[in-house]
Amino acid sequence: MKPEQKATKKDLSKAGSDRFAMYAAVVVLLFFCAVAFFIYVGRNAKNDANISYLELKKSYVNDQGLVGRLMVSIQVNQGDESWLDDNKAILNEQFQKELTVIDLETLRTKEGILELQDELRRKFNQVLKTDKIEAVMVTEVLLQDQRIE
């Protein structure tokens, strides 16, 4: 064998290993693209319950030293999302108004929270002259007693 032929064989084997690395990289890239696609499709699956939610702004209220932080979500049927987005400002404003008249002490019990949820649903539907709001769910309640005794 001539020295020129040896160099050519080395170049060929090097070129072959470079191609293998490129093919391996393409296969790995395709695998990760497929995984990303299935994750995307899984997260954007159809809403089987046909329900949409809107979370109102977190609100604070101080009732003579008893401080409360509340957050609620509003549930409507799917298809009413645009109506819900259009009325988001009104709902946030009404939520603030309702917090000024509630007794925070009642929120220490499960019955008090359920009563608040029912009252908010009724008031929101009444103010907006509709029945699209299916439920109001209290998603966060934090009460802190800062009264000096």
Side-chain angles (χ1 to χ4, degrees):
M1 241 184 202
K2 295 181 182 178
E4 298 90 28
Q5 288 178 340
K6 285 184 179 178
T8 309
K9 287 183 181 178
K10 283 184 179 179
D11 290 341
L12 289 176
S13 67
K14 187 176 181 183
S17 67
D18 285 346
R19 282 190 190 139
F20 176 75
M22 185 178 71
Y23 292 142
V26 168
V27 169
V28 169
L29 181 64
L30 289 174
F31 172 76
F32 282 119
C33 287
V35 169
F37 174 75
F38 286 114
I39 290 172
Y40 175 77
V41 169
R43 286 188 179 205
N44 292 326
K46 187 176 183 310
N47 182 356
D48 293 334
N50 293 327
I51 296 172
S52 294
Y53 297 94
L54 170 71
E55 193 167 84
L56 296 182
K57 291 179 187 175
K58 192 179 296 187
S59 299
Y60 299 87
V61 62
N62 186 346
D63 183 18
Q64 300 173 354
L66 183 60
V67 179
R69 180 177 74 190
L70 287 98
M71 185 181 280
V72 299
S73 292
I74 296 179
Q75 175 187 324
V76 296
N77 287 325
Q78 198 170 23
D80 292 332
E81 298 95 347
S82 61
W83 175 86
L84 196 56
D85 286 337
D86 292 342
N87 292 297
K88 184 177 182 176
I90 296 169
L91 290 167
N92 275 312
E93 182 181 317
Q94 188 62 36
F95 180 49
Q96 294 295 323
K97 286 180 184 177
E98 291 302 315
L99 287 182
T100 61
V101 297
I102 66 167
D103 180 19
L104 290 179
E105 286 292 336
T106 61
L107 299 181
R108 293 187 187 271
T109 65
K110 183 178 179 179
E111 293 79 20
I113 290 174
L114 293 173
E115 185 179 312
L116 174 66
Q117 290 175 158
D118 243 12
E119 182 64 21
L120 287 174
R121 182 189 56 79
R122 190 186 64 72
K123 276 288 198 186
F124 291 161
N125 278 328
Q126 181 183 17
V127 166
L128 294 169
K129 296 179 176 81
T130 187
D131 61 347
K132 292 184 179 189
I133 297 174
E134 297 292 321
V136 175
M137 291 148 296
V138 175
T139 56
E140 181 179 319
V141 176
L142 178 65
L143 299 175
Q144 185 176 16
D145 196 348
Q146 296 182 343
R147 295 177 278 202
I148 298 174
E149 294 183 23

